[in-house]
Amino acid sequence: MNRFLTLVGRDLRLALRQGSDATIAVMFFVLCVVLFPFGVGPEPNILARIAAGVIWVAALLASLLSLERLFQNDYEDGSLELLVLTPLPLEAVVLAKTLAHWLVTGVPLIVAAPLLAVLLNMEADGFGVLVLTLAVGTPVLSLIGAIGAALTLGARRGGVLLSLLILPLYIPVLIFGAGAIDAAILGLSPRPHILLLSGLLAGALPLAPWAGAAALRQAVE
Amino acid sequence: MHRFANPARFLRLSAVIQPWAAGATVVLLVVGLYLSLFGSPPDYQQGDTVRIMYVHVPAAWMALFVYVNMAIAAAVGLVWKHPLADLFSKAAAPVGAGFTAVCLVTGSLWGAPMWGTWWVWDARLTSMLILFFLYLGYMALVNAFDDPERGVKAGNVLLLVGVVNIPIIKFSVDWWNTLHQPASVIRMGGPTIAGEMLVPLLVMAFAFTAYFVSVVLLRLKSEILARKIQTLRLNDAQGR
Amino acid sequence: MPVFAGTDLTCLRGDRLVFTGLDFRVGSGEALLLLGPNGSGKSSLLRIMAGLLRPFRGRLAWDDAAVADDPDRHRGRAHYVGHLDAVKPVLTATENLAFWAALGGAPVPEERARAALARLGVPHIAGVPGRYLSAGQKRRLNLARILAAPAPLWLLDEPTVALDRAAIGLLEAIIAEHRAGGGMVVVSTHTDIALPGAATLHLDDFTPAGPDDGDDPGDDAGDDDEDTRP
């Protein structure tokens, strides 16, 4: 456990010193959402209708943005080989790095989301559910994305490839996440959606580190 | 070459199987097409349009069947490191993607007279579209590395992740579809398949399977030969 | 007295046979020097010993217990120094080192890190971020890693690259001290490094045939495919 926290701490420290990942992800998220009124017109009713979907799609793309570098730096400077060789199981390494990535890029998205909901005239009923679904859903995005980041290490055009691999797998998260907000706004219970989303998280928590570790072992071989 | 002692046996075996598979493809396809175009009645609602089903539905079956087979081969490749299992997924992927594309195109063609539009976000078609993306992602990943072996290995992990996700995606898309669309839309390949429709459907499915077998054998053979050439060149380069 | 040994090891990169039928044995306090031209598989053998690479055939054993049965345990007792220095540019030398020491299980990582840097003759870089370090300083920092957390088996792949004569002397002294304490060392090298009483292993004895001018497979297994593809 100590080693796990050491690794999380080191990745957080690296992210804070380098400083750009978190801000870029949030800025991309905000800009992406702000583009929509220019595309579909400033009509408040239309914006309110599409708000949940737009925010979720933008969150999805924003979390994808920084995933490419999740293992890339460690791979290039040789740290990854050494991480494979530490007594910490590789699955725990994947989980620790994913957790640090989510803390740096996922949490700011959750914080920024209500602001964007205001800009898009989302009904007030949806706000709480928006934050809740993002809080449950963005870890799933980071976990699935970690698999893709590990698989594309050393590939040509890794970043584009990563989105091609990962975006189809994001679809269930998008459906349940945006669906919960729509349900809440329509006065229905968002509970089933949120439970399904939690189910996805429960499934991804053991499976993603396993698959990511398998991919990393291949990458350093 | 040392590791192709086994593939040598495979090459001999495939040389025996392949003419039979190719012959079966031709015969079954001719019979199947005759049955579906002339030997079966038109649907009382959809008329002759229903004949698209005889290509559409078997293609959909094959799309899923091939992906599951690739995932099984991936598991075999990861666990037992069998070189043929690795090559199988790589050889099968474009064929599976082709079936998926056929399924999507025929679905769109079928949708035009039925729904009056070329594309409807019907749950089954949408799931097929996502499956198509999964195929494309796999093929892109396998070919993205300088070392072909690494590409195949990464592809194996992706296939296993994908096969776990397919039921989840299917479920979520069905869920999404019932929420956003009235249930009265006529479903493709609907539940009322009469016996005389089932026979051509099955014949076509077997024809597609035979086609799949013969093409995959051919692709496996060429892949093995390509690897052999590569090994020879590598040895040349090293003066051995 | 622990013994680390390999029997009948075969290494395959892609479809290329790097070496076959290789045996080695390192006992407590002993050193093994890997020699051979580029491409003979020195790096690959070290990566197999570390557990980064699985041998195509053959068995690695620690005191007759197969390493493959308990890979986690094996990782805990080996230190591997490869071609890359794994130095993070935004962390100071101490932070870089303390991280690896903590992962290796050292009780007071910061102190160990400082002591290790001093032992390698570079105490003055302790507070300097990685991006300001020279190649030689980075190498010393990477070598300090093996001192910061104790492990009986050291696997050093070309450790003398970028080191000056004085630093090589320091390294020789450190290795001698490690061996005196019962440690084992496996070193691959092109340059002279004094390892009194070390056994040598010529890897070209185990390659299939003929001389070889290819590149080292350890760091460019992918590239050689590209050159030969049509």
PDB file of all heavy atoms in Angstrom, chain A residues 3 7 10 13-14 17 74 77 79 81-82 84-85 87 220-221, chain C residues 13 47 50 53 75 80 84 86 88 90 95 99-100 103-105 145:
ATOM      1  N   ARG A   3       3.885   1.529  -1.150  1.00  0.00           N
ATOM      2  CA  ARG A   3       4.514   1.685  -2.460  1.00  0.00           C
ATOM      3  C   ARG A   3       3.521   2.273  -3.445  1.00  0.00           C
ATOM      4  O   ARG A   3       3.860   3.101  -4.281  1.00  0.00           O
ATOM      5  CB  ARG A   3       5.007   0.336  -2.958  1.00  0.00           C
ATOM      6  CG  ARG A   3       6.160  -0.217  -2.156  1.00  0.00           C
ATOM      7  CD  ARG A   3       6.717  -1.441  -2.841  1.00  0.00           C
ATOM      8  NE  ARG A   3       7.992  -1.795  -2.250  1.00  0.00           N
ATOM      9  CZ  ARG A   3       8.218  -2.915  -1.580  1.00  0.00           C
ATOM     10  NH1 ARG A   3       7.248  -3.792  -1.411  1.00  0.00           N
ATOM     11  NH2 ARG A   3       9.402  -3.162  -1.072  1.00  0.00           N
ATOM     12  N   LEU A   7       3.933   5.839  -5.492  1.00  0.00           N
ATOM     13  CA  LEU A   7       3.838   6.025  -6.939  1.00  0.00           C
ATOM     14  C   LEU A   7       2.786   7.084  -7.289  1.00  0.00           C
ATOM     15  O   LEU A   7       3.028   7.952  -8.140  1.00  0.00           O
ATOM     16  CB  LEU A   7       3.507   4.684  -7.606  1.00  0.00           C
ATOM     17  CG  LEU A   7       3.392   4.681  -9.118  1.00  0.00           C
ATOM     18  CD1 LEU A   7       4.628   5.284  -9.762  1.00  0.00           C
ATOM     19  CD2 LEU A   7       3.187   3.260  -9.627  1.00  0.00           C
ATOM     20  N   ARG A  10       4.304  10.420  -6.508  1.00  0.00           N
ATOM     21  CA  ARG A  10       5.322  10.828  -7.478  1.00  0.00           C
ATOM     22  C   ARG A  10       4.664  11.328  -8.760  1.00  0.00           C
ATOM     23  O   ARG A  10       5.071  12.350  -9.323  1.00  0.00           O
ATOM     24  CB  ARG A  10       6.237   9.640  -7.745  1.00  0.00           C
ATOM     25  CG  ARG A  10       7.263   9.817  -8.835  1.00  0.00           C
ATOM     26  CD  ARG A  10       6.805   9.090 -10.070  1.00  0.00           C
ATOM     27  NE  ARG A  10       7.923   8.723 -10.957  1.00  0.00           N
ATOM     28  CZ  ARG A  10       7.758   8.016 -12.060  1.00  0.00           C
ATOM     29  NH1 ARG A  10       6.554   7.605 -12.383  1.00  0.00           N
ATOM     30  NH2 ARG A  10       8.776   7.724 -12.820  1.00  0.00           N
ATOM     31  N   ARG A  13       3.184  14.706  -8.178  1.00  0.00           N
ATOM     32  CA  ARG A  13       4.240  15.714  -8.105  1.00  0.00           C
ATOM     33  C   ARG A  13       4.737  16.065  -9.508  1.00  0.00           C
ATOM     34  O   ARG A  13       4.901  17.239  -9.850  1.00  0.00           O
ATOM     35  CB  ARG A  13       5.384  15.178  -7.247  1.00  0.00           C
ATOM     36  CG  ARG A  13       6.440  16.219  -6.957  1.00  0.00           C
ATOM     37  CD  ARG A  13       7.566  15.646  -6.136  1.00  0.00           C
ATOM     38  NE  ARG A  13       7.214  15.475  -4.733  1.00  0.00           N
ATOM     39  CZ  ARG A  13       8.074  14.986  -3.836  1.00  0.00           C
ATOM     40  NH1 ARG A  13       9.272  14.613  -4.204  1.00  0.00           N
ATOM     41  NH2 ARG A  13       7.718  14.882  -2.579  1.00  0.00           N
ATOM     42  N   LEU A  14       4.921  15.027 -10.324  1.00  0.00           N
ATOM     43  CA  LEU A  14       5.357  15.270 -11.705  1.00  0.00           C
ATOM     44  C   LEU A  14       4.341  16.132 -12.439  1.00  0.00           C
ATOM     45  O   LEU A  14       4.690  17.084 -13.144  1.00  0.00           O
ATOM     46  CB  LEU A  14       5.516  13.944 -12.446  1.00  0.00           C
ATOM     47  CG  LEU A  14       6.785  13.147 -12.195  1.00  0.00           C
ATOM     48  CD1 LEU A  14       6.723  11.821 -12.914  1.00  0.00           C
ATOM     49  CD2 LEU A  14       7.993  13.939 -12.667  1.00  0.00           C
ATOM     50  N   ARG A  17       4.474  19.747 -11.148  1.00  0.00           N
ATOM     51  CA  ARG A  17       5.675  20.476 -11.582  1.00  0.00           C
ATOM     52  C   ARG A  17       5.579  20.812 -13.066  1.00  0.00           C
ATOM     53  O   ARG A  17       5.998  21.887 -13.499  1.00  0.00           O
ATOM     54  CB  ARG A  17       6.920  19.629 -11.349  1.00  0.00           C
ATOM     55  CG  ARG A  17       7.184  19.340  -9.897  1.00  0.00           C
ATOM     56  CD  ARG A  17       8.336  20.168  -9.352  1.00  0.00           C
ATOM     57  NE  ARG A  17       8.435  19.941  -7.919  1.00  0.00           N
ATOM     58  CZ  ARG A  17       9.346  19.167  -7.356  1.00  0.00           C
ATOM     59  NH1 ARG A  17      10.249  18.572  -8.087  1.00  0.00           N
ATOM     60  NH2 ARG A  17       9.363  18.995  -6.050  1.00  0.00           N
ATOM     61  N   ASP A  74       7.273   7.610 -19.114  1.00  0.00           N
ATOM     62  CA  ASP A  74       7.974   6.547 -18.396  1.00  0.00           C
ATOM     63  C   ASP A  74       8.544   5.523 -19.363  1.00  0.00           C
ATOM     64  O   ASP A  74       9.602   4.943 -19.115  1.00  0.00           O
ATOM     65  CB  ASP A  74       7.011   5.845 -17.422  1.00  0.00           C
ATOM     66  CG  ASP A  74       6.786   6.656 -16.173  1.00  0.00           C
ATOM     67  OD1 ASP A  74       7.592   7.567 -15.921  1.00  0.00           O
ATOM     68  OD2 ASP A  74       5.809   6.396 -15.458  1.00  0.00           O
ATOM     69  N   ASP A  77      11.801   7.230 -21.078  1.00  0.00           N
ATOM     70  CA  ASP A  77      13.024   7.474 -20.294  1.00  0.00           C
ATOM     71  C   ASP A  77      13.484   6.242 -19.513  1.00  0.00           C
ATOM     72  O   ASP A  77      14.422   6.322 -18.728  1.00  0.00           O
ATOM     73  CB  ASP A  77      12.862   8.697 -19.385  1.00  0.00           C
ATOM     74  CG  ASP A  77      11.907   8.445 -18.241  1.00  0.00           C
ATOM     75  OD1 ASP A  77      11.528   7.288 -18.019  1.00  0.00           O
ATOM     76  OD2 ASP A  77      11.530   9.415 -17.567  1.00  0.00           O
ATOM     77  N   SER A  79      11.883   4.542 -17.205  1.00  0.00           N
ATOM     78  CA  SER A  79      11.276   4.321 -15.887  1.00  0.00           C
ATOM     79  C   SER A  79      10.318   3.138 -15.900  1.00  0.00           C
ATOM     80  O   SER A  79      10.169   2.436 -14.897  1.00  0.00           O
ATOM     81  CB  SER A  79      10.498   5.565 -15.450  1.00  0.00           C
ATOM     82  OG  SER A  79      11.334   6.675 -15.391  1.00  0.00           O
ATOM     83  N   GLU A  81      10.438   0.275 -17.468  1.00  0.00           N
ATOM     84  CA  GLU A  81      11.137  -0.996 -17.242  1.00  0.00           C
ATOM     85  C   GLU A  81      11.375  -1.211 -15.762  1.00  0.00           C
ATOM     86  O   GLU A  81      11.171  -2.300 -15.239  1.00  0.00           O
ATOM     87  CB  GLU A  81      12.509  -0.968 -17.928  1.00  0.00           C
ATOM     88  CG  GLU A  81      12.457  -1.068 -19.409  1.00  0.00           C
ATOM     89  CD  GLU A  81      13.860  -1.015 -20.026  1.00  0.00           C
ATOM     90  OE1 GLU A  81      14.846  -0.760 -19.289  1.00  0.00           O
ATOM     91  OE2 GLU A  81      13.951  -1.229 -21.214  1.00  0.00           O
ATOM     92  N   LEU A  82      11.813  -0.136 -15.102  1.00  0.00           N
ATOM     93  CA  LEU A  82      12.129  -0.259 -13.679  1.00  0.00           C
ATOM     94  C   LEU A  82      10.858  -0.453 -12.862  1.00  0.00           C
ATOM     95  O   LEU A  82      10.864  -1.181 -11.872  1.00  0.00           O
ATOM     96  CB  LEU A  82      12.886   0.977 -13.207  1.00  0.00           C
ATOM     97  CG  LEU A  82      14.214   1.219 -13.930  1.00  0.00           C
ATOM     98  CD1 LEU A  82      14.885   2.462 -13.403  1.00  0.00           C
ATOM     99  CD2 LEU A  82      15.128   0.024 -13.780  1.00  0.00           C
ATOM    100  N   VAL A  84       8.259  -2.026 -13.919  1.00  0.00           N
ATOM    101  CA  VAL A  84       7.900  -3.431 -14.122  1.00  0.00           C
ATOM    102  C   VAL A  84       8.694  -4.306 -13.155  1.00  0.00           C
ATOM    103  O   VAL A  84       8.210  -5.329 -12.689  1.00  0.00           O
ATOM    104  CB  VAL A  84       8.167  -3.844 -15.584  1.00  0.00           C
ATOM    105  CG1 VAL A  84       8.027  -5.343 -15.766  1.00  0.00           C
ATOM    106  CG2 VAL A  84       7.218  -3.124 -16.522  1.00  0.00           C
ATOM    107  N   LEU A  85       9.920  -3.867 -12.831  1.00  0.00           N
ATOM    108  CA  LEU A  85      10.805  -4.686 -12.005  1.00  0.00           C
ATOM    109  C   LEU A  85      10.702  -4.421 -10.506  1.00  0.00           C
ATOM    110  O   LEU A  85      11.375  -5.076  -9.727  1.00  0.00           O
ATOM    111  CB  LEU A  85      12.261  -4.485 -12.446  1.00  0.00           C
ATOM    112  CG  LEU A  85      12.573  -4.979 -13.856  1.00  0.00           C
ATOM    113  CD1 LEU A  85      13.988  -4.641 -14.239  1.00  0.00           C
ATOM    114  CD2 LEU A  85      12.341  -6.469 -13.959  1.00  0.00           C
ATOM    115  N   PRO A  87       8.980  -4.484  -6.730  1.00  0.00           N
ATOM    116  CA  PRO A  87       8.158  -5.507  -6.076  1.00  0.00           C
ATOM    117  C   PRO A  87       6.652  -5.210  -6.167  1.00  0.00           C
ATOM    118  O   PRO A  87       5.848  -6.093  -5.938  1.00  0.00           O
ATOM    119  CB  PRO A  87       8.626  -5.468  -4.619  1.00  0.00           C
ATOM    120  CG  PRO A  87       9.965  -4.828  -4.654  1.00  0.00           C
ATOM    121  CD  PRO A  87       9.960  -3.895  -5.809  1.00  0.00           C
ATOM    122  N   VAL A 220       7.467  -3.561 -22.792  1.00  0.00           N
ATOM    123  CA  VAL A 220       8.866  -3.489 -22.353  1.00  0.00           C
ATOM    124  C   VAL A 220       9.672  -4.692 -22.799  1.00  0.00           C
ATOM    125  O   VAL A 220      10.887  -4.707 -22.647  1.00  0.00           O
ATOM    126  CB  VAL A 220       9.003  -3.355 -20.817  1.00  0.00           C
ATOM    127  CG1 VAL A 220       8.380  -2.076 -20.341  1.00  0.00           C
ATOM    128  CG2 VAL A 220       8.397  -4.544 -20.113  1.00  0.00           C
ATOM    129  N   GLU A 221       9.013  -5.704 -23.347  1.00  0.00           N
ATOM    130  CA  GLU A 221       9.729  -6.928 -23.715  1.00  0.00           C
ATOM    131  C   GLU A 221      10.788  -6.681 -24.776  1.00  0.00           C
ATOM    132  O   GLU A 221      10.606  -5.880 -25.669  1.00  0.00           O
ATOM    133  CB  GLU A 221       8.758  -7.987 -24.224  1.00  0.00           C
ATOM    134  CG  GLU A 221       9.115  -9.341 -23.650  1.00  0.00           C
ATOM    135  CD  GLU A 221       8.158 -10.432 -24.109  1.00  0.00           C
ATOM    136  OE1 GLU A 221       7.909 -10.541 -25.301  1.00  0.00           O
ATOM    137  OE2 GLU A 221       7.679 -11.157 -23.226  1.00  0.00           O
TER     138      GLU A 221
ATOM    139  N   ARG C  13      14.234 -13.233 -30.712  1.00  0.00           N
ATOM    140  CA  ARG C  13      13.614 -11.914 -30.893  1.00  0.00           C
ATOM    141  C   ARG C  13      12.933 -11.925 -32.247  1.00  0.00           C
ATOM    142  O   ARG C  13      13.590 -12.026 -33.273  1.00  0.00           O
ATOM    143  CB  ARG C  13      14.668 -10.807 -30.887  1.00  0.00           C
ATOM    144  CG  ARG C  13      15.470 -10.639 -29.627  1.00  0.00           C
ATOM    145  CD  ARG C  13      14.689 -10.547 -28.341  1.00  0.00           C
ATOM    146  NE  ARG C  13      13.584  -9.623 -28.314  1.00  0.00           N
ATOM    147  CZ  ARG C  13      13.570  -8.482 -27.647  1.00  0.00           C
ATOM    148  NH1 ARG C  13      14.608  -8.088 -26.990  1.00  0.00           N
ATOM    149  NH2 ARG C  13      12.501  -7.741 -27.630  1.00  0.00           N
ATOM    150  N   ARG C  47      18.219  -8.843 -19.685  1.00  0.00           N
ATOM    151  CA  ARG C  47      16.769  -8.611 -19.545  1.00  0.00           C
ATOM    152  C   ARG C  47      16.056  -9.902 -19.164  1.00  0.00           C
ATOM    153  O   ARG C  47      15.066  -9.872 -18.422  1.00  0.00           O
ATOM    154  CB  ARG C  47      16.201  -8.024 -20.832  1.00  0.00           C
ATOM    155  CG  ARG C  47      16.696  -6.591 -21.088  1.00  0.00           C
ATOM    156  CD  ARG C  47      16.286  -6.104 -22.446  1.00  0.00           C
ATOM    157  NE  ARG C  47      14.886  -5.714 -22.509  1.00  0.00           N
ATOM    158  CZ  ARG C  47      14.449  -4.520 -22.149  1.00  0.00           C
ATOM    159  NH1 ARG C  47      15.296  -3.614 -21.716  1.00  0.00           N
ATOM    160  NH2 ARG C  47      13.179  -4.240 -22.218  1.00  0.00           N
ATOM    161  N   ALA C  50      16.689 -10.345 -15.515  1.00  0.00           N
ATOM    162  CA  ALA C  50      15.904  -9.427 -14.693  1.00  0.00           C
ATOM    163  C   ALA C  50      14.439  -9.826 -14.662  1.00  0.00           C
ATOM    164  O   ALA C  50      13.714  -9.488 -13.729  1.00  0.00           O
ATOM    165  CB  ALA C  50      16.037  -8.006 -15.226  1.00  0.00           C
ATOM    166  N   LEU C  53      12.208 -10.035 -19.945  1.00  0.00           N
ATOM    167  CA  LEU C  53      12.037 -10.800 -21.171  1.00  0.00           C
ATOM    168  C   LEU C  53      11.907 -12.253 -20.745  1.00  0.00           C
ATOM    169  O   LEU C  53      12.608 -12.699 -19.858  1.00  0.00           O
ATOM    170  CB  LEU C  53      13.295 -10.599 -22.024  1.00  0.00           C
ATOM    171  CG  LEU C  53      13.250 -10.929 -23.490  1.00  0.00           C
ATOM    172  CD1 LEU C  53      12.254 -10.017 -24.170  1.00  0.00           C
ATOM    173  CD2 LEU C  53      14.633 -10.704 -24.100  1.00  0.00           C
ATOM    174  N   ARG C  75      11.822 -10.144  -8.555  1.00  0.00           N
ATOM    175  CA  ARG C  75      11.975  -8.708  -8.806  1.00  0.00           C
ATOM    176  C   ARG C  75      12.460  -7.994  -7.561  1.00  0.00           C
ATOM    177  O   ARG C  75      13.158  -6.992  -7.645  1.00  0.00           O
ATOM    178  CB  ARG C  75      10.649  -8.121  -9.279  1.00  0.00           C
ATOM    179  CG  ARG C  75      10.378  -8.452 -10.730  1.00  0.00           C
ATOM    180  CD  ARG C  75       9.073  -7.886 -11.163  1.00  0.00           C
ATOM    181  NE  ARG C  75       7.983  -8.586 -10.482  1.00  0.00           N
ATOM    182  CZ  ARG C  75       6.720  -8.242 -10.587  1.00  0.00           C
ATOM    183  NH1 ARG C  75       6.371  -7.192 -11.296  1.00  0.00           N
ATOM    184  NH2 ARG C  75       5.790  -8.921  -9.973  1.00  0.00           N
ATOM    185  N   TYR C  80      18.286  -3.812 -11.789  1.00  0.00           N
ATOM    186  CA  TYR C  80      18.650  -3.807 -13.197  1.00  0.00           C
ATOM    187  C   TYR C  80      19.010  -2.388 -13.609  1.00  0.00           C
ATOM    188  O   TYR C  80      18.263  -1.446 -13.330  1.00  0.00           O
ATOM    189  CB  TYR C  80      17.467  -4.328 -14.024  1.00  0.00           C
ATOM    190  CG  TYR C  80      17.605  -4.154 -15.523  1.00  0.00           C
ATOM    191  CD1 TYR C  80      18.408  -5.007 -16.276  1.00  0.00           C
ATOM    192  CD2 TYR C  80      16.918  -3.140 -16.181  1.00  0.00           C
ATOM    193  CE1 TYR C  80      18.527  -4.844 -17.642  1.00  0.00           C
ATOM    194  CE2 TYR C  80      17.025  -2.968 -17.555  1.00  0.00           C
ATOM    195  CZ  TYR C  80      17.835  -3.822 -18.277  1.00  0.00           C
ATOM    196  OH  TYR C  80      17.949  -3.665 -19.629  1.00  0.00           O
ATOM    197  N   LEU C  84      18.833   3.175 -20.467  1.00  0.00           N
ATOM    198  CA  LEU C  84      18.181   4.452 -20.187  1.00  0.00           C
ATOM    199  C   LEU C  84      18.294   4.770 -18.710  1.00  0.00           C
ATOM    200  O   LEU C  84      18.243   3.870 -17.866  1.00  0.00           O
ATOM    201  CB  LEU C  84      16.707   4.376 -20.599  1.00  0.00           C
ATOM    202  CG  LEU C  84      16.498   4.130 -22.099  1.00  0.00           C
ATOM    203  CD1 LEU C  84      15.073   3.675 -22.386  1.00  0.00           C
ATOM    204  CD2 LEU C  84      16.807   5.406 -22.867  1.00  0.00           C
ATOM    205  N   ALA C  86      16.327   6.743 -16.739  1.00  0.00           N
ATOM    206  CA  ALA C  86      15.098   6.892 -15.950  1.00  0.00           C
ATOM    207  C   ALA C  86      15.146   8.080 -15.003  1.00  0.00           C
ATOM    208  O   ALA C  86      14.694   7.997 -13.865  1.00  0.00           O
ATOM    209  CB  ALA C  86      14.791   5.603 -15.182  1.00  0.00           C
ATOM    210  N   LYS C  88      13.819  11.758 -14.125  1.00  0.00           N
ATOM    211  CA  LYS C  88      12.752  12.703 -14.447  1.00  0.00           C
ATOM    212  C   LYS C  88      13.302  14.124 -14.430  1.00  0.00           C
ATOM    213  O   LYS C  88      13.874  14.549 -13.428  1.00  0.00           O
ATOM    214  CB  LYS C  88      11.615  12.574 -13.432  1.00  0.00           C
ATOM    215  CG  LYS C  88      10.855  11.281 -13.540  1.00  0.00           C
ATOM    216  CD  LYS C  88       9.982  11.270 -14.780  1.00  0.00           C
ATOM    217  CE  LYS C  88       9.418   9.896 -15.023  1.00  0.00           C
ATOM    218  NZ  LYS C  88       8.883   9.749 -16.384  1.00  0.00           N
ATOM    219  N   VAL C  90      11.974  17.042 -14.061  1.00  0.00           N
ATOM    220  CA  VAL C  90      11.450  18.042 -13.119  1.00  0.00           C
ATOM    221  C   VAL C  90      11.673  17.672 -11.662  1.00  0.00           C
ATOM    222  O   VAL C  90      11.372  18.470 -10.774  1.00  0.00           O
ATOM    223  CB  VAL C  90       9.946  18.306 -13.339  1.00  0.00           C
ATOM    224  CG1 VAL C  90       9.723  18.978 -14.678  1.00  0.00           C
ATOM    225  CG2 VAL C  90       9.149  17.034 -13.238  1.00  0.00           C
ATOM    226  N   GLU C  95      15.023  13.502  -5.123  1.00  0.00           N
ATOM    227  CA  GLU C  95      13.642  13.044  -5.300  1.00  0.00           C
ATOM    228  C   GLU C  95      13.581  11.851  -6.246  1.00  0.00           C
ATOM    229  O   GLU C  95      12.867  10.871  -5.992  1.00  0.00           O
ATOM    230  CB  GLU C  95      12.780  14.187  -5.849  1.00  0.00           C
ATOM    231  CG  GLU C  95      12.378  15.207  -4.799  1.00  0.00           C
ATOM    232  CD  GLU C  95      11.744  16.453  -5.405  1.00  0.00           C
ATOM    233  OE1 GLU C  95      11.985  16.737  -6.596  1.00  0.00           O
ATOM    234  OE2 GLU C  95      11.004  17.136  -4.683  1.00  0.00           O
ATOM    235  N   PHE C  99      12.458   8.138  -4.698  1.00  0.00           N
ATOM    236  CA  PHE C  99      11.287   7.427  -5.208  1.00  0.00           C
ATOM    237  C   PHE C  99      11.601   5.949  -5.431  1.00  0.00           C
ATOM    238  O   PHE C  99      10.880   5.060  -4.982  1.00  0.00           O
ATOM    239  CB  PHE C  99      10.810   8.076  -6.504  1.00  0.00           C
ATOM    240  CG  PHE C  99       9.841   7.241  -7.282  1.00  0.00           C
ATOM    241  CD1 PHE C  99       8.573   6.989  -6.777  1.00  0.00           C
ATOM    242  CD2 PHE C  99      10.194   6.684  -8.499  1.00  0.00           C
ATOM    243  CE1 PHE C  99       7.668   6.210  -7.483  1.00  0.00           C
ATOM    244  CE2 PHE C  99       9.299   5.899  -9.207  1.00  0.00           C
ATOM    245  CZ  PHE C  99       8.034   5.663  -8.703  1.00  0.00           C
ATOM    246  N   TRP C 100      12.723   5.693  -6.119  1.00  0.00           N
ATOM    247  CA  TRP C 100      13.079   4.295  -6.383  1.00  0.00           C
ATOM    248  C   TRP C 100      13.456   3.570  -5.099  1.00  0.00           C
ATOM    249  O   TRP C 100      13.153   2.381  -4.951  1.00  0.00           O
ATOM    250  CB  TRP C 100      14.226   4.213  -7.398  1.00  0.00           C
ATOM    251  CG  TRP C 100      13.820   4.722  -8.744  1.00  0.00           C
ATOM    252  CD1 TRP C 100      14.282   5.836  -9.373  1.00  0.00           C
ATOM    253  CD2 TRP C 100      12.846   4.161  -9.623  1.00  0.00           C
ATOM    254  NE1 TRP C 100      13.663   5.994 -10.596  1.00  0.00           N
ATOM    255  CE2 TRP C 100      12.776   4.984 -10.760  1.00  0.00           C
ATOM    256  CE3 TRP C 100      12.016   3.044  -9.555  1.00  0.00           C
ATOM    257  CZ2 TRP C 100      11.917   4.726 -11.833  1.00  0.00           C
ATOM    258  CZ3 TRP C 100      11.161   2.783 -10.619  1.00  0.00           C
ATOM    259  CH2 TRP C 100      11.116   3.616 -11.734  1.00  0.00           C
ATOM    260  N   LEU C 103      10.211   2.622  -3.458  1.00  0.00           N
ATOM    261  CA  LEU C 103       9.583   1.486  -4.137  1.00  0.00           C
ATOM    262  C   LEU C 103      10.345   0.200  -3.854  1.00  0.00           C
ATOM    263  O   LEU C 103       9.773  -0.881  -3.794  1.00  0.00           O
ATOM    264  CB  LEU C 103       9.545   1.715  -5.651  1.00  0.00           C
ATOM    265  CG  LEU C 103       8.390   2.541  -6.210  1.00  0.00           C
ATOM    266  CD1 LEU C 103       8.359   2.427  -7.712  1.00  0.00           C
ATOM    267  CD2 LEU C 103       7.067   2.098  -5.629  1.00  0.00           C
ATOM    268  N   GLY C 104      11.651   0.330  -3.670  1.00  0.00           N
ATOM    269  CA  GLY C 104      12.462  -0.849  -3.366  1.00  0.00           C
ATOM    270  C   GLY C 104      12.354  -1.278  -1.923  1.00  0.00           C
ATOM    271  O   GLY C 104      12.909  -2.305  -1.548  1.00  0.00           O
ATOM    272  N   GLY C 105      11.677  -0.476  -1.106  1.00  0.00           N
ATOM    273  CA  GLY C 105      11.436  -0.884   0.268  1.00  0.00           C
ATOM    274  C   GLY C 105      12.401  -0.312   1.280  1.00  0.00           C
ATOM    275  O   GLY C 105      12.490  -0.806   2.399  1.00  0.00           O
ATOM    276  N   ARG C 145      21.008   4.299  -7.656  1.00  0.00           N
ATOM    277  CA  ARG C 145      19.754   3.583  -7.385  1.00  0.00           C
ATOM    278  C   ARG C 145      20.022   2.194  -6.791  1.00  0.00           C
ATOM    279  O   ARG C 145      19.270   1.717  -5.931  1.00  0.00           O
ATOM    280  CB  ARG C 145      18.988   3.468  -8.701  1.00  0.00           C
ATOM    281  CG  ARG C 145      17.539   3.120  -8.603  1.00  0.00           C
ATOM    282  CD  ARG C 145      16.858   3.382  -9.939  1.00  0.00           C
ATOM    283  NE  ARG C 145      17.597   2.834 -11.064  1.00  0.00           N
ATOM    284  CZ  ARG C 145      17.590   1.548 -11.396  1.00  0.00           C
ATOM    285  NH1 ARG C 145      16.886   0.703 -10.701  1.00  0.00           N
ATOM    286  NH2 ARG C 145      18.288   1.130 -12.436  1.00  0.00           N
TER     287      ARG C 145
END
